[in-house]
Amino acid sequence: MSTHPPVRAARGTTLTARSWQTEAPLRMLMNNLDPDVAERPEDLVVYGGTGRAARSWAAYDAIVDALRTLADDETLLVQSGKPVGVFRTHAWAPRVLIANSNLVGDWATWPEFRRLEAEGLTMYGQMTAGSWIYIGTQGILQGTYETFGAVARTLHASGRLDQPSLAGTLTLTAGCGGMGGAQPLAVTMNEGVALVVDVDESRLARRVEHGYLDEHTRDLDEAVERVLAAKKDRLPLSVGVVGNAATVFPELLARGAAIDVVTDQTSAHDPLSYLPEGVSVADWRTLADRDPEEFTRRARASMARHVEAMVGFMDAGAEVFDYGNSIREEARLGGYDRAFAFPGFVPAYIRPLFCEGKGPFRWAALSGDPADIAATDRAVLDLFPEDEHLRRWITRAGEKVHFEGLPARICWLGYGERHRAGLRFNEMVASGELTAPVVIGRDHLDSGSVASPYRETESMADGSDAIADWPLLNALLNTASGATWVSLHHGGGVGIGRSIHAGQVVVADGTSLAAEKIERVLTNDPGTGVMRHVDAGYDRAREVAHERGVRIPMEEG
């Protein structure tokens, strides 16, 4: 157990570093490890089972010391959670460059990664854990809201629903941790009913406390009775039930429960983070550490039963999709040969948005003052008055979202939109309408920043699912465009060997230099998404490139 004191980011306008360009990554690193934000802060784990913000407490302390003394013409290099160098660059260069979990292809396996991790040579950065831009459960909530909204529109278009919302439907899912905890609120915000299974009652209790889940119980019969009654009355409701999805999903299928939508967001990407049937939560870590290979075998066997039940629901008429955690591949490795019978969420619902460069745009108030987020909410609505979907989200988020750590917000904006919001925030800082600078970033799950054949790039039109040049180009372009910090990771939410992805963060500190950087970064970053989908042959991406002025040399002339 760590003896390091709890971490909490500074608030207010007093700098603890030499400028806001270095104060920002310092506060966001600390915010990732705030006990109100991180899953296991004492272990430096932010979310996703093993996603860390730093490799060790000694490395964390060294990063903090480096950021506090870093000049505005210097760049800190961080290799898998450890600061390894400070070099003189220039004012337009990133203040921090981060690489996490990257392994050469033939060595990119979980056993090899764990061996290297045990030797203290690497760490798992997940997506926003090791890139210091995690904002708590809200970070995935908005994308989850978008996804379930798209599910509703799909069901409506096919005639299975009489309205483009989830009213009168029941969604079954599992996993209520740092990522999965967003699902119940996303369903109810889309007017549906959710039943969420989790092995760990404390996760369910935390989601109830923070308003992401309405209630929880240990009694499956009680949970089913509650959700079916709410479905009948067309009332939004989310209920968590303590149990193992590998046991509960088959049981509900056998009962013939009237379930309309099925997905999952357990930490299936890492078999050591998925609890097999027959293992207690209390024994979880001990058994996983004692014999990881046997634990992996048992976890995959349980995932095979879990996914087999999901396919059973699909065969019975439910809308079923993989929510990007590699559970289908793990179930296949566990011996189930129909694991890929249902699609991933990106090809099923999200890719048309990616063609427009649309994706997760998030920001955090370094002041710590919720009033700053309320002001930026109003600014976003003023900028895009015609977007009713965005208005509905911002309004509901303001009413329902519990801030975890530094107050933050997220919404999905596309090419030609993100830089407008960023520039407006910078103006608000300059005028004093905001009391301190704002950090602007995104998830690594975005339109042009990831190669992930089991998630974001599954079933690309040209078969380029596994081409990883795109996130590398994204990271290089964001570095050249003036991002405050840039990260390049391997593995993310799908596991070692299965993805390469990049992130960027830029700081609105009210200066003219920040405005120049914001305009370039927040134009070019989503522009890589349009570019990538044009190259893959998507007509909508070609239309967007033509309409909005994205230069694609192979399309010119």
Side-chain angles (χ1 to χ4, degrees), residues 197 395 482 543:
V197 182
T395 302
E543 292 170 1

Side-chain angles (χ1 to χ4, degrees), residues 32 46-47 51-54 78 81 98-100 123-133 444 485 487 489:
N32 268 17
V46 181
Y47 74 93
R52 286 180 165 80
V78 179
I98 300 170
N100 282 315
M123 74 167 199
Y124 201 63
Q126 259 290 347
M127 287 190 158
T128 53
S131 58
W132 312 341
I133 191 59
H444 291 204
W485 68 96
S487 50
H489 294 195

